[in-house]
Amino acid sequence: MAVAVNEGAKGASPAPQADLELWPIGNCQVSGLMDRRAGLVWGCVPRVDGDPVFCSLLNGESSGAGVWRFELEGQVSATQEYDRNTPILITRLEAEDGSAVDIFDFCPRFERTGRMYRPVAFVRVVRPVAGVPRLKVTLKPMRDYGAQIAETTNGTNHIRYLVGQQALRLSTDAPVGYVLDQRVYRVESDQHFFLGPDEPFSGNIRTEVRHMEAQTRKYWQLWVRGLATPLEWQDEVIRCAITLKLCQHEETGAIVAALTTSIPEAPNTGRNWDYRYCWIRDSYYTVQALNRLGALDVLEKYLAYLRNIVDDAKGGQIQPLYSVMGVAELDETTAPFLAGYRGMGPVRRGNAAYMQVQHDCYGQIVLPTAQAFFDKRLLRMATERDFASLEQVGEMAWKMHDQPDAGLWEFRTRQEVHTYSAVMCWAACDRLANVAGYLGKDDRAQLWRERADTIHARIHAEAWVENGEEGHYGASFESDYLDASLLQMVELRFLEPEDPRFLATFAMVERDLRRGEHMLRYAAEDDFGLPETAFNICTFWLIDALARSGRKDEARELFCAMLGHFTRSGLLSEDMDFESGELWGNFPQTYSLVGVINCAGLLSRSWNTVR
């Protein structure tokens, strides 16, 4: 469904306040976020964790720099929708005189000469559809994290933007002088813009760009056709699946937590983090959700990334996150020239969480890799050599299951033995026992089963809290506070949904952490004080627990309420104000999209009801 935005006053209107009504485009090499007025306001090159040459989203009141925008003279509205089952965005701009243009935005992605063509490039096509539209093009990329507007050189049909060591070249059949001068001009025929590598554009730009558009559309529609979607909420699931795939850096297989950095978790809190990296935890949840839809291409590429991470660790500690290229050091600094989202800095580059100890990562490596021993659809099934490597990860899980860590919420100033981390270590040993048995390694299967049983008993002994009522599991061995990750005990098969211990824990978690239609991660103070927003994935964990514990009608009602908080693009960020419903946190957040896919599959009516 197309979504309209009314521009209001006659003529050029002041730039609205930045918000998360954003529409992702991408090709698994680069990505961009388009705002509600067809402005490319966020985009990094040469990959997702690179320099944000389009940084208007985080440029405070200086939103006219670091942007690529088309605007009609006398513009009064903008209507947006995705081309069906693709990340090709179509925006219709309309002016007060009735003139209008359609803008098609995409990053090329299709197979060419035996490999995937996914250039560091953004493509925009302007098509007049009514009247005599007059258009202004503002193209002002920046460099060095907003330090300065990129200098330019130009020829008769191109403009070079000196954004760093490698320039970007705009090739176009639009009037280059008008683009350079931001001069309003009449659009009388289709115009094509290819902003990409600094090399002469090969072929006729009109013909080539139209070919790219058609092939990109075909690629995505065929990819979606292979998804095993639930009957209900298909549009929502498909959009989330496409966006999750856009969060994979195909060259290595890494999956980033989000496409942005430093969107605050709550206003003026300093909870601004760079999520353009591969968290082992987030990636596990992403491939798990896509596996349920049958998108094995994402799993296969990610498993290759994991094998390299495990090799580099040489049997030692695995970090909670790495760069998309597998780089371990992600020093956290701030970008002084960017004011931040709505001026709420700092804008961070890098993430100090790479130095943290988080023991849940061992389970999150073993669990997706275990599938590769059983799933005969895969092009590369796991081997006995892979099992030997995976056992090294299991050894670390066994060694660290009862040792303090920062936990999945990445506390920066305290460590405890977190129950979720211990359960993930149990899961690592449990799945290794399954794999060993499948491979006929009975002695190894017995070893890993004994270790899993030992951890299981230890968690019950150390994490169970007798509170004078029914008791419950605590978030850590040392204290009785609660966090929403305890609801994952059923998903991980640590407990059955009808287990009285789970039901008692669920009741306590819901009592203490639920806020109406939303769920907090935890209610205790952390390094930055009390949490001020709900964490969207936790709300989906609540929905999951409701459904599994026999409250399915309530789960459906809550799920539909969450769908009502989607952006117009059909997506979610990390956090939500549980009173106003406003979205906060980095966008689009893989965790949140995973929750949509998982809950839709759990709650949907069966296909057998209609066929």
Side-chain angles (χ1 to χ4, degrees):
M1 178 183 295
V3 181
V5 176
N6 195 321
E7 297 288 345
K10 177 180 178 180
S13 56
Q17 178 176 250
D19 60 33
L20 296 184
E21 287 295 345
L22 303 169
W23 301 71
I25 60 173
N27 61 5
C28 303
Q29 172 65 39
V30 291
S31 56
L33 296 177
M34 315 297 301
D35 73 4
R36 63 175 79 204
R37 298 183 301 132
L40 177 55
V41 295
W42 183 257
C44 304
V45 297
R47 55 178 186 256
V48 65
D49 60 353
D51 189 3
V53 296
F54 296 107
C55 53
S56 173
L57 181 66
L58 299 185
N59 213 8
E61 295 182 357
S62 302
S63 59
V67 68
W68 185 4
R69 187 178 302 284
F70 296 125
E71 187 172 11
L72 289 183
E73 185 177 64
Q75 183 172 310
V76 293
S77 69
T79 306
Q80 292 172 294
E81 64 181 349
Y82 280 116
D83 199 356
R84 191 175 78 90
N85 293 354
T86 79
I88 300 173
L89 177 63
I90 307 171
T91 304
R92 175 159 295 186
L93 303 179
E94 295 182 293
E96 58 187 352
D97 64 0
S99 61
V101 296
D102 282 345
I103 301 169
F104 290 72
D105 289 305
F106 66 98
C107 298
R109 178 177 173 82
F110 51 91
E111 190 168 322
R112 187 172 78 173
T113 63
R115 59 184 179 180
M116 192 61 65
Y117 176 66
R118 42 175 173 77
V120 180
F122 301 93
V123 178
R124 312 195 72 178
V125 179
V126 179
R127 293 176 177 151
V129 293
V132 185
R134 287 172 54 79
L135 184 73
K136 182 175 78 170
V137 182
T138 301
L139 178 47
K140 288 187 176 182
M142 305 191 80
R143 59 178 298 172
D144 302 327
Y145 280 77
Q148 63 185 75
I149 295 175
E151 296 179 347
T152 64
T153 65
N154 65 279
T156 54
N157 295 301
H158 76 268
I159 306 170
R160 296 174 67 246
Y161 295 89
L162 308 181
V163 295
Q165 294 180 347
Q166 292 182 320
L168 289 176
R169 178 187 291 239
L170 176 71
S171 300
T172 182
D173 50 12
V176 166
Y178 290 158
V179 175
L180 282 169
D181 295 344
Q182 298 181 57
R183 184 178 180 84
V184 176
Y185 66 96
R186 179 185 288 213
V187 179
E188 296 182 328
S189 62
D190 290 6
Q191 296 186 345
H192 307 82
F193 300 79
F194 182 93
L195 182 66
D198 186 23
E199 54 193 40
F201 191 89
S202 178
N204 178 279
I205 190 166
R206 177 188 180 93
T207 302
E208 291 300 316
V209 165
R210 288 192 170 193
H211 175 74
M212 290 178 187
E213 180 186 337
Q215 291 299 103
T216 299
R217 178 180 296 107
K218 180 179 179 181
Y219 167 84
W220 285 105
Q221 291 182 342
L222 288 176
W223 185 80
V224 167
R225 191 178 68 174
L227 298 179
T229 61
L231 170 61
E232 297 182 86
W233 306 296
Q234 289 184 63
D235 289 340
E236 292 86 349
V237 168
I238 288 170
R239 182 54 49 199
C240 289
I242 289 173
T243 308
L244 287 178
K245 185 170 174 63
L246 292 181
C247 289
Q248 182 166 58
H249 184 68
E250 187 168 65
E251 181 181 358
T252 62
I255 301 169
V256 297
L259 299 179
T260 58
T261 176
S262 304
I263 308 296
E265 293 180 10
N268 299 303
T269 59
R271 297 177 188 263
N272 301 11
W273 312 115
D274 192 347
Y275 277 10
R276 300 171 299 158
Y277 303 108
C278 182
W279 267 260
I280 302 300
R281 179 187 314 112
D282 299 52
S283 300
Y284 155 69
Y285 280 108
T286 297
V287 296
Q288 176 202 50
L290 289 176
N291 285 348
R292 288 172 172 163
L293 300 179
L296 293 184
D297 57 329
V298 176
L299 170 67
E300 287 188 307
K301 292 180 176 69
Y302 177 63
L303 290 181
Y305 178 80
L306 278 187
R307 288 192 291 270
N308 281 306
I309 294 297
V310 172
D311 286 350
D312 290 342
K314 297 180 172 61
Q317 180 179 311
I318 302 292
Q319 293 180 188
L321 70 154
Y322 297 84
S323 83
V324 296
M325 300 305 296
V327 175
E329 294 78 23
L330 304 173
D331 293 335
E332 187 175 300
T333 60
T334 58
F337 301 104
L338 292 175
Y341 180 76
R342 300 184 184 174
M344 298 176 188
V347 172
R348 301 187 198 271
R349 175 184 182 183
N351 198 305
Y354 83 90
M355 295 185 290
Q356 290 188 355
V357 174
Q358 297 176 28
H359 299 319
D360 56 317
C361 64
Y362 302 113
Q364 288 143 0
I365 289 176
V366 172
L367 267 61
T369 306
Q371 179 174 340
F373 292 92
F374 297 92
D375 196 334
K376 296 187 177 181
R377 296 172 297 171
L378 297 174
L379 296 176
R380 182 198 183 278
M381 293 189 67
T383 65
E384 292 202 9
R385 183 176 295 179
D386 293 323
F387 178 70
S389 178
L390 204 59
E391 281 197 300
Q392 296 180 43
V393 179
E395 291 290 348
M396 289 298 295
W398 168 245
K399 179 180 178 182
M400 297 297 181
H401 75 272
D402 59 355
Q403 298 301 303
D405 71 353
L408 81 162
W409 307 124
E410 301 185 341
F411 297 122
R412 294 196 168 199
T413 59
R414 69 174 187 260
Q415 290 196 341
E416 295 178 335
V417 181
H418 288 94
T419 304
Y420 176 84
S421 296
V423 170
M424 269 296 180
C425 289
W426 166 83
C429 296
D430 177 76
R431 298 337 185 245
L432 280 169
N434 294 344
V435 172
Y438 179 76
L439 295 176
K441 298 179 180 294
D442 295 339
D443 57 334
R444 305 306 295 171
Q446 181 179 352
L447 172 71
W448 290 112
R449 180 59 56 210
E450 290 174 352
R451 289 178 170 180
D453 291 344
T454 299
I455 298 174
H456 198 287
R458 182 73 183 278
I459 293 170
H460 184 59
E462 299 291 343
W464 185 256
V465 178
E466 292 290 352
N467 60 0
E469 301 174 26
E470 293 182 306
H472 63 87
Y473 284 105
S476 76
F477 287 11
E478 292 88 347
S479 58
D480 64 352
Y481 79 94
L482 296 157
D483 82 43
S485 68
L486 295 167
L487 301 183
Q488 286 288 282
M489 286 179 158
V490 168
E491 171 67 29
L492 294 169
R493 303 203 303 272
F494 184 83
L495 294 174
E496 295 297 323
E498 64 274 8
D499 190 311
R501 294 171 296 183
F502 173 72
L503 294 174
T505 302
F506 177 27
M508 294 294 290
V509 169
E510 185 177 15
R511 185 194 73 179
D512 287 5
L513 302 184
R514 184 170 179 177
R515 301 291 185 271
E517 298 176 347
H518 307 283
M519 193 77 160
L520 304 181
R521 287 175 287 185
Y522 45 81
E525 285 197 17
D526 59 16
D527 312 329
F528 293 83
L530 288 172
E532 298 180 26
T533 52
F535 203 68
N536 289 327
I537 185 58
C538 296
T539 303
F540 289 114
W541 288 350
L542 168 64
I543 294 167
D544 182 280
L546 288 169
R548 293 177 189 269
S549 60
R551 298 160 63 183
K552 198 163 187 177
D553 289 344
E554 189 177 350
R556 284 181 66 95
E557 182 179 350
L558 186 55
F559 182 60
C560 291
M562 281 297 290
L563 298 183
H565 293 294
F566 274 20
T567 62
R568 294 176 174 87
S569 57
L571 302 171
L572 287 169
S573 63
E574 180 184 48
D575 306 275
M576 192 182 303
D577 186 307
F578 50 80
E579 294 182 351
S580 70
E582 184 174 10
L583 293 177
W584 290 91
N586 283 306
F587 180 91
Q589 176 74 13
T590 54
Y591 258 161
S592 301
L593 307 187
V594 162
V596 175
I597 292 172
N598 289 345
C599 289
L602 183 65
L603 296 171
S604 173
R605 290 183 293 122
S606 168
W607 279 98
N608 290 335
T609 62
V610 297
R611 66 184 180 193

